[in-house]
């Protein structure tokens, strides 16, 4: 049985909501430095590129932690693991708020990376164990809606609080939110002993069939985070600082719409949906240095960008799952590890370009990467590559 028979439908869906809130807290914690990049950098006297390490650190750690945590804890109850990881996220939030030096700030981000790697790998594929089979697809969509919700609610709100009360206050709030999620998980998610032990051999087999998913994910995610990580410095030249949170809110709202549209379209044609999302990102980033210099132009391009990126996580995860149908948890591990690795690499490379040249230069570079993603996806469709 995938769902405990004695649990009512409402309680089952509350478990889905609790997992969704957990991912929402994680996504918000991970990408909040994008909205607070300037005040954090000013506080520690850092360049935008060095401040961008706050995005690089958790991604690299999560990439390594996803397979390691999943394999090492393969025999442990999954609810227990989710709760333990939320304790770790709360500790990271409070440490980030209190850190007197940048090295401790980076250590807090290290803890965030451990949480991301473990929670995503376990939680993203739990829908089938929380609700009846006929509701699994809808429950999965609800869980993945936490990604754009982190952008539409978490980051703008955290940025707004940071501008009003200081960026450290935002991380205190995230620490408190993590404790609330901990209680929700404990109360609503049933005991979940592992159904299949994820061994290294299982991951290796899943990887063999997922090479195309890996390539396109690496291309588009690195392109996105090389550019989006540094969108705040660009917006500060266009709008007043207190309006940046509003602009990011609109971007996030577009991302939520993009997520819903892509979830529906991907069921009919995954490859073309993925290519369409990447094409929107390429369009927005290549035009941002010119058209984005006006308030209206920047807002329009952020909407286009949000629509595109909103569909990327669900398309990427769907491609990994389609390429490795024999092991859903292994597919989720590969998705998490690759996504987080290139997220951090993209933020790092973007920072190098920004410090050496300009934000405009990194936008053009990101557009090239997104355009390459479109090309690879369209080529793989003609070759009938597995997973497409």
């Amino acid at each position: 049985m995938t769902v405990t028979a004695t649990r009512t439908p409402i309680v089952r869906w509350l478990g889905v909501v609790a997992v969704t809130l957990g991912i929402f807290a994680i996504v918000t914690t991970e990408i909040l430095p994008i909205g607070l990049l300037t005040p954090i950098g000013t506080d520690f006297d850092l360049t935008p590129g060095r401040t961008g390490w706050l995005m690089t650190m958790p991604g690299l750690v999560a990439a390594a932690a996803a397979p390691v945590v999943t394999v090492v804890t393969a025999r442990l109850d999954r609810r227990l693991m989710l709760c333990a990881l939320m304790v770790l996220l709360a500790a990271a939030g409070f440490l980030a708020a209190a850190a007197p030096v940048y090295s401790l700030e980076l250590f807090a981000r290290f803890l965030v990376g451990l949480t991301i790697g473990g929670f995503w790998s376990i939680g993203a594929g739990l829908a089938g164990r929380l609700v009846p089979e006929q509701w699994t697809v809808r429950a999965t969509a609800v869980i993945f809606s936490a990604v754009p919700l982190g952008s539409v609610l978490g980051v703008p709100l955290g940025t707004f609080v940071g501008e009003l009360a200081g960026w450290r206050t935002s991380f205190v709030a995230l620490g408190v939110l993590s404790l609330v999620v901990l209680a929700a998980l404990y109360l609503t998610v049933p005991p979940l002993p592992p159904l299949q032990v994820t061994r290294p051999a299982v991951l290796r087999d899943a990887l063999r069939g997922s090479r195309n998913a890996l390539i396109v994910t690496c291309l588009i995610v690195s392109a996105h985070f090389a550019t989006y990580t540094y969108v705040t410095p660009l917006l500060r030249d266009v709008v007043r600082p207190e309006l940046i949170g509003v602009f990011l809110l609109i971007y996030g709202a577009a991302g939520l719409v993009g997520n819903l549209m892509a979830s529906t379209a991907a069921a009919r044609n995954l490859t073309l949906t993925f290519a369409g999302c990447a094409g929107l990102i390429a369009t927005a980033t290549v035009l941002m240095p010119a058209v984005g210099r006006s308030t209206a132009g920047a807002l329009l391009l952020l909407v286009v960008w949000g629509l595109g990126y909103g569909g990327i996580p669900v398309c990427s995860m769907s491609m990994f799952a389609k390429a490795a149908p024999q092991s859903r948890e292994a597919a989720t591990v590969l998705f998490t590890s690759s996504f987080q690795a290139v997220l951090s690499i993209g933020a790092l490379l973007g920072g190098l370009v920004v410090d050496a040249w300009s934000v405009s230069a990194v936008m053009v570079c990101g557009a090239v990467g997104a355009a390459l993603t479109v090309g690879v996806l369209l080529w793989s469709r003609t070759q009938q590559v597995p997973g497409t």
Side-chain angles (χ1 to χ4, degrees):
M1 293 181 66
T2 58
V3 184
T4 304
T6 58
R7 296 175 66 84
T8 66
I10 292 177
V11 174
R12 294 171 182 174
W13 276 101
L14 286 176
V16 173
V17 172
V19 174
T20 304
L21 284 175
I23 294 180
F24 169 80
I26 289 171
V27 170
T28 302
T29 302
E30 182 179 17
I31 64 177
L32 181 58
I34 292 175
L36 300 173
L37 201 69
T38 300
I40 293 175
T42 300
D43 202 6
F44 290 113
D45 194 23
L46 302 170
T47 65
R50 280 203 65 197
T51 313
W53 292 1
L54 295 175
M55 289 294 296
T56 300
M57 174 64 79
L60 287 177
V61 174
V68 173
V69 171
T70 305
V71 171
V72 170
T73 67
R75 299 183 183 277
L76 296 181
D77 184 284
R78 307 332 262 163
R79 180 181 70 163
L80 175 64
M81 283 302 305
L82 295 180
C83 290
L85 289 165
M86 291 315 299
V87 172
L88 196 62
L89 187 66
F94 294 133
L95 179 58
V101 293
Y102 189 55
S103 57
L104 278 179
E105 199 69 41
L106 286 175
F107 180 70
R109 303 297 288 173
F110 175 87
L111 298 181
V112 172
L114 289 179
T115 305
I116 295 168
F119 199 103
W120 260 108
S121 297
I122 296 169
L126 282 183
R129 302 189 64 186
L130 296 175
V131 297
E133 184 177 354
Q134 65 267 29
W135 296 106
T136 297
V137 173
R138 183 166 295 182
T140 300
V142 170
I143 289 174
F144 270 88
S145 71
V147 178
L149 279 174
S151 297
V152 72
L153 293 178
V155 174
L157 183 58
T159 302
F160 180 72
V161 170
E163 293 288 349
L164 289 182
W167 62 269
R168 295 178 186 273
T169 305
S170 298
F171 285 101
V172 171
L174 286 171
V176 173
L177 174 62
S178 300
L179 294 179
V180 172
V181 173
L182 166 65
L185 288 168
Y186 183 78
L187 293 173
T188 63
V189 175
L192 297 169
L195 294 178
Q196 178 186 22
V197 176
T198 303
R199 299 182 176 89
V202 176
L203 291 174
R204 187 170 57 250
D205 291 342
L207 180 60
R208 288 196 184 101
S210 305
R211 290 173 183 168
N212 191 63
L214 185 63
I215 290 171
V216 294
T217 297
C218 288
L219 281 172
I220 192 58
V221 175
S222 60
H224 171 75
F225 280 98
T227 50
Y228 186 63
T229 300
Y230 305 98
V231 75
T232 299
L234 187 148
L235 291 177
R236 281 180 174 268
D237 292 336
V238 179
V239 301
R240 298 193 306 274
E242 59 269 23
L243 291 179
I244 291 176
V246 177
F247 273 52
L248 294 180
L249 175 66
I250 295 171
Y251 162 86
L256 183 58
V257 174
N259 172 265
L260 296 174
M261 293 174 62
S263 298
T264 301
R268 295 194 294 267
N269 194 313
L270 174 58
T271 305
L272 287 183
T273 302
F274 206 158
C277 292
L280 289 175
I281 294 175
T283 301
T285 50
V286 77
L287 293 177
M288 189 63 81
V291 180
R293 292 299 176 180
S294 69
T295 302
L299 189 59
L300 175 62
L301 291 178
L302 282 175
V303 170
V304 173
W305 198 340
L307 286 171
Y309 181 69
I312 294 299
V314 69
C315 287
S316 175
M317 180 61 214
S318 297
M319 187 168 284
F320 275 106
K322 193 174 179 181
Q326 73 282 358
S327 178
R328 186 57 183 254
E329 187 167 270
T332 308
V333 169
L334 293 177
F335 162 76
T336 302
S337 187
S338 61
F339 202 99
Q340 293 298 325
V342 294
L343 179 160
S344 60
I345 292 171
L348 177 62
L349 294 177
L352 294 176
V353 174
V354 169
D355 284 350
W357 290 285
S358 65
V359 175
S360 295
V362 83
M363 292 291 164
V364 175
C365 292
V368 172
L372 284 174
T373 306
V374 176
V376 172
L377 284 164
L378 295 180
W379 173 85
S380 65
R381 186 167 181 262
T382 64
Q383 302 299 310
Q384 297 183 330
V385 176
T388 59

